């Protein structure tokens, strides 16, 4: 019997949530923390499988894994008791509306909290709740773990990417990219097709930018009709089991002009250089440089106005950043985008983006749509 509104499909982490908490414990001990208060809901989901809208998790470092797990507690409010029992049968659940402060009652020792996810008022409440311990900033610990995906996560991302690929292929096969259609119609079409292909929905607001709009990297679709000769940039992705795919293709409506072919070939070359540079041990800023140098050498460096890419997973933009100022180093299991673009104000632009997983043998693209300027 199904309880209405309660997701019954298990999270994609067979035994994996406990393993993730163990990995976090090692990081906590290394940081000299007795526990970590996790308040970001994505991090709570990652570590426990719980997907409700009000929750916090206290991960105890323990002297060993067993003792740590024994003292690890999920808190949520009364609306979610059934859901928590279904999704986190392996954790004790504290039912309390003010989840985070409640988890600090009777706690002692050095307790880390993620200062990037706690407001000033929220911090005051934590200080008041922790009578006999020390609250200390500990940002980014869970995000660092999240950057390296396990097999189940890569599988979810692969399915999310496949849904986006299927949507674009269906759109093209059904003649959905012709003059007269509007940007909004194309965006809706892509989103419906992603759902038909098994996605929970789009992973972010679909970008469809035609003609001069293609020069705006994050253009919102309008009722502007596509015209023959327009560059058309579509940046979209699908959501599967909470995992986000991200892909951009730029095509031309009708027959391309010479300058459009040249621009597309240049960005395609930069994207290929970026993809080839992905390898464990490489600084992400060097990946950015590999792609950026191609565009700069052609004289369009000033028109490539954003970073090369980003990590992607339970959120659309996550660690590691892939940009000229990034400080991350790649590792096997990271999933990142490579998305160089050149934007010519008033004329249009080209961006080509893929989601890839870094492996010991180089990067494997998870998005697999053809990158042709003229779709077939
Ligand atoms: Zn994108
Ligand atoms: Zn992206």
């Amino acid at each position: 019997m199904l309880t209405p509104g309660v997701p019954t499909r298990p999270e994609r982490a067979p035994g994996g949530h406990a393993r993730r908490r163990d990995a976090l414990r090692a990081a906590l001990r290394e940081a000299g923390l007795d526990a970590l208060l996790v308040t970001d809901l994505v991090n709570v989901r990652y570590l426990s499988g719980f997907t409700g809208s009000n929750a916090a998790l206290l991960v105890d470092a323990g002297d060993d894994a067993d003792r740590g797990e024994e003292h690890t507690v999920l808190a949520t409010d009364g609306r979610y008791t059934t859901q928590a029992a279904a999704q986190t049968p392996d954790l004790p659940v504290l039912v309390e509306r003010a989840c985070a402060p409640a988890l600090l009652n009777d706690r002692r020792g050095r307790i880390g909290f993620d200062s990037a996810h706690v407001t000033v008022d929220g911090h005051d409440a934590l200080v008041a709740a922790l009578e006999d311990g020390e609250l200390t900033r500990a940002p980014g610990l869970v995000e660092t773990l999240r950057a390296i995906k396990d097999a189940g996560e890569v599988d979810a991302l692969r399915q999310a990417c496949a849904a986006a690929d299927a949507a674009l292929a269906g759109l093209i096969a059904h003649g959905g990219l012709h003059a007269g259609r509007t940007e909004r119609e194309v965006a809706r079409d892509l989103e419906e097709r992603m759902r038909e292909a098994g996605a929970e929905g789009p992973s972010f607001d679909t970008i469809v930018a035609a003609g001069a709009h293609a020069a705006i990297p994050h253009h919102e679709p309008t009722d502007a009709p596509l015209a023959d000769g327009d560059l058309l940039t579509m940046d979209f992705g699908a959501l599967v089991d909470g995992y986000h795919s991200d892909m951009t293709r730029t095509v031309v409506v009708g027959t391309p002009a010479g300058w459009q072919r040249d621009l597309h070939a240049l960005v395609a070359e930069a994207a290929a250089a970026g993809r080839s540079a992905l390898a464990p041990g490489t600084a992400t800023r060097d990946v950015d440089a590999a792609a950026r140098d191609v565009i700069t050498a052609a004289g369009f460096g000033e028109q490539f106005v954003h970073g090369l890419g980003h990590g992607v997973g339970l959120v659309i933009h996550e660690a590691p950043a892939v940009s000229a100022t990034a400080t991350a180093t790649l590792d096997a299991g990271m999933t990142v985008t490579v998305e160089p673009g050149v934007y010519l104000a008033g004329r249009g632009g080209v961006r080509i983006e893929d989601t890839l997983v870094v492996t010991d043998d180089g990067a494997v693209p998870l998005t697999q749509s053809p990158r042709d300027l003229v779709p077939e």
Side-chain angles (χ1 to χ4, degrees), residues 9-347:
R9 191 157 47 154
E11 283 274 295
R12 270 172 197 276
H17 297 113
R19 210 164 47 232
R20 292 170 188 172
R21 293 193 291 272
D22 276 349
L24 177 61
R25 280 188 189 99
L28 297 185
R29 285 189 219 108
E30 201 163 300
L33 295 171
D34 295 305
L36 182 71
L37 180 66
V38 181
T39 53
D40 174 62
L41 289 172
V42 175
N43 288 340
V44 170
R45 176 179 188 163
Y46 176 77
L47 292 167
S48 72
F50 182 70
T51 59
S53 69
N54 181 28
L57 181 71
L58 198 291
V59 178
D60 194 294
D63 302 328
D64 57 48
D66 286 346
R67 272 193 69 77
E69 187 71 351
E70 226 169 87
H71 293 98
T72 293
V73 183
L74 176 80
T76 184
D77 66 61
R79 293 170 296 168
Y80 291 114
T81 43
T82 311
Q83 180 172 333
Q87 292 182 322
T88 62
D90 51 346
L91 285 176
V93 177
L94 176 67
V95 179
E96 193 79 57
R97 178 156 285 279
C99 301
L103 286 170
L104 295 184
N105 282 333
D106 302 326
R107 286 276 171 176
R108 52 193 72 223
R110 237 179 134 232
I111 301 189
F113 72 100
D114 191 340
S115 44
H117 293 294
V118 173
T119 63
V120 175
D121 287 351
H123 181 255
D124 288 348
L126 298 183
V127 170
L130 184 67
E131 289 176 3
D132 200 14
E134 181 200 344
L135 208 55
T136 179
R137 291 177 189 225
L141 292 176
V142 186
E143 281 80 356
T144 300
L145 295 180
R146 267 173 45 199
I148 296 179
K149 273 67 182 175
D150 60 35
E153 293 183 286
V154 173
D155 189 41
L157 283 161
R158 184 174 281 119
Q159 287 187 38
C161 291
D165 285 336
L168 182 59
L171 179 78
I172 291 167
H174 288 84
L177 292 177
H178 58 79
R181 271 201 121 187
T182 70
E183 293 172 341
R184 275 208 183 99
E185 283 168 354
V186 172
R188 264 200 305 271
D189 199 340
L190 281 171
E191 291 178 0
E192 275 164 28
R193 289 176 188 278
M194 286 192 289
R195 283 197 182 85
E196 281 167 22
E200 289 145 34
S203 56
F204 57 93
D205 289 342
T206 298
I207 296 168
V208 175
H213 291 162
I216 306 166
H218 274 187
H219 172 72
E220 283 179 32
T222 67
D223 290 323
L226 316 188
D228 268 331
D230 276 353
L231 284 171
L232 175 70
T233 293
M234 295 165 284
D235 186 350
F236 61 105
L239 190 64
V240 171
D241 285 352
Y243 285 83
H244 299 65
S245 73
D246 195 0
M247 176 168 76
T248 307
R249 292 293 183 262
T250 299
V251 300
V252 82
V253 181
T255 310
W259 70 272
Q260 292 171 328
R261 282 189 193 282
D262 293 345
L263 196 60
H264 188 270
L266 174 66
V267 175
E269 187 189 337
R275 292 194 301 271
S276 309
L278 293 172
T282 302
T284 60
R285 87 164 81 83
D286 293 339
V287 180
D288 182 280
R292 196 170 299 277
D293 287 352
V294 172
I295 289 172
T296 303
F300 290 102
E302 297 280 304
Q303 283 77 39
F304 177 12
V305 292
H306 51 75
L308 182 67
H310 51 88
V312 62
L314 282 171
V315 296
I316 185 69
H317 292 139
E318 61 179 42
V322 184
S323 70
T325 55
T327 54
T329 300
L330 292 173
D331 230 324
M334 286 183 171
T335 47
V336 297
T337 69
V338 168
E339 50 180 306
V342 174
Y343 310 93
L344 306 178
R347 299 176 78 189

